[in-house]
Amino acid sequence: GENVEQHPSTLSVQEGDSAVIKCTYSDSASNYFPWYKQELGKRPQLIIDIRSNVGEKKDQRIAVTLNKTAKHFSLHITETQPEDSAVYFCAASMGNAGNMLTFGGGTRLMVKP
Amino acid sequence: DAGVIQSPRHEVTEMGQEVTLRCKPISGHNSLFWYRQTMMRGLELLIYFNNNVPIDDSGMPEDRFSAKMPNASFSTLKIQPSEPRDSAVYFCASSLGGPHQPQHFGDGTRLSIL
């Protein structure tokens, strides 16, 4: 089955700096890669996703890049703000109805004011 | 859009008792997922329903766990008998079109088995 590794497990940045979280996946057939943000005590919320037919996707301060050859994808947050502090999860799926999302272990991002 | 609704939000019970968690997916969504989240194991998929039919239950830990989806607007996850190691946050999520479409999570049920 799919295996998703996520790094780093914790990340501390100064407000205004950029943050990058990286994930690798094992199954080259995976083609759907969402990112979820989970604030303390709250539910995971989808913040951005990318499919394998594109290499990059942006939404305001958030961007995701995908390298299919290397089987890794990354989340980039620019101009970080204290409210970006949360746990971020990457996930991968083979994109068929029967193929589940496999989640990475999560990255705890702390943005210091 | 009320989102995915789970109940109860918190449950504390003694080991050996039956626990039933409930979920109402977003109206119109045809896929429903039950996840368990712990510090040690992260976010794990327990079971996935599509059009009310269980498609993948390989994540269900053991026979003490069972899940049903009697109709498109309701699902239950039952643990009987419960054990302390079942303590976790249980999330329900729904999507339109399967696991490779955006999944919307409920607020979760924090379960503590004493």
Side-chain angles (χ1 to χ4, degrees), chain B residues 13 19 21 23 37 43 55-56 62 65 69 73 78-79 82 91 99 102 111:
Chain B
T13 191
V19 174
L21 311 182
C23 176
Q37 187 175 40
L43 201 56
I55 302 299
D56 187 338
E62 48 199 271
F65 285 68
M69 192 164 186
S73 59
K78 189 172 292 187
I79 308 172
S82 57
F91 286 102
L111 178 63

Side-chain angles (χ1 to χ4, degrees), chain B residues 36-104:
Chain B
R36 178 172 66 178
Q37 187 175 40
T38 61
M39 288 295 293
M40 290 298 293
R41 299 175 67 91
L43 201 56
E44 304 173 279
L45 178 70
L46 300 177
I47 188 168
Y48 156 50
F49 291 89
N50 186 254
N51 293 325
N52 312 337
V53 176
I55 302 299
D56 187 338
D57 65 355
S58 59
M60 295 287 263
E62 48 199 271
D63 292 345
R64 297 184 299 105
F65 285 68
S66 62
K68 294 182 179 179
M69 192 164 186
N71 57 62
S73 59
F74 184 65
S75 177
T76 59
L77 178 68
K78 189 172 292 187
I79 308 172
Q80 167 63 20
S82 57
E83 297 182 3
R85 60 193 169 119
D86 302 329
S87 298
V89 180
Y90 291 80
F91 286 102
C92 176
S94 71
S95 76
L96 181 60
H100 55 292
Q101 297 298 331
Q103 295 184 25
H104 300 262

Side-chain angles (χ1 to χ4, degrees), chain A residues 2-76:
Chain A
E2 178 63 277
N3 183 47
V4 178
E5 300 280 341
Q6 184 170 345
H7 300 279
S9 56
T10 60
L11 178 60
S12 182
V13 300
Q14 207 65 38
E15 182 178 0
D17 288 350
S18 295
V20 181
I21 302 170
K22 299 180 180 179
C23 289
T24 59
Y25 59 99
S26 60
D27 197 320
S28 57
S30 288
N31 59 11
Y32 175 61
F33 307 94
W35 286 88
Y36 285 83
K37 174 184 180 182
Q38 186 177 27
E39 297 177 15
L40 187 63
K42 303 239 177 120
R43 58 189 167 95
Q45 289 190 287
L46 180 71
I47 54 172
I48 194 167
D49 58 10
I50 191 169
R51 299 185 188 272
S52 60
N53 57 344
V54 297
E56 184 176 2
K57 185 176 179 180
K58 288 184 180 180
D59 183 2
Q60 299 182 349
R61 296 185 297 108
I62 294 173
V64 57
T65 58
L66 171 65
N67 184 325
K68 289 175 59 180
T69 303
K71 291 190 285 188
H72 68 69
F73 56 113
S74 300
L75 178 71
H76 305 253

Side-chain angles (χ1 to χ4, degrees), chain A residues 54-107:
Chain A
V54 297
E56 184 176 2
K57 185 176 179 180
K58 288 184 180 180
D59 183 2
Q60 299 182 349
R61 296 185 297 108
I62 294 173
V64 57
T65 58
L66 171 65
N67 184 325
K68 289 175 59 180
T69 303
K71 291 190 285 188
H72 68 69
F73 56 113
S74 300
L75 178 71
H76 305 253
I77 307 174
T78 58
E79 300 172 24
T80 54
Q81 301 167 4
E83 51 265 38
D84 294 329
S85 297
V87 178
Y88 291 80
F89 293 94
C90 64
S93 165
M94 281 186 275
N96 298 319
N99 295 115
M100 304 305 112
L101 276 182
T102 300
F103 282 85
T107 296

Side-chain angles (χ1 to χ4, degrees), chain B residues 4 6 12 15 24 26 28 30-33 42 45 48-49 51 59 61 69 71 77 86:
Chain B
V4 176
Q6 290 187 246
V12 181
M15 65 177 293
K24 176 179 169 56
I26 292 173
N30 63 346
S31 296
L32 184 139
F33 311 85
L45 178 70
Y48 156 50
F49 291 89
N51 293 325
M69 192 164 186
N71 57 62
L77 178 68
D86 302 329

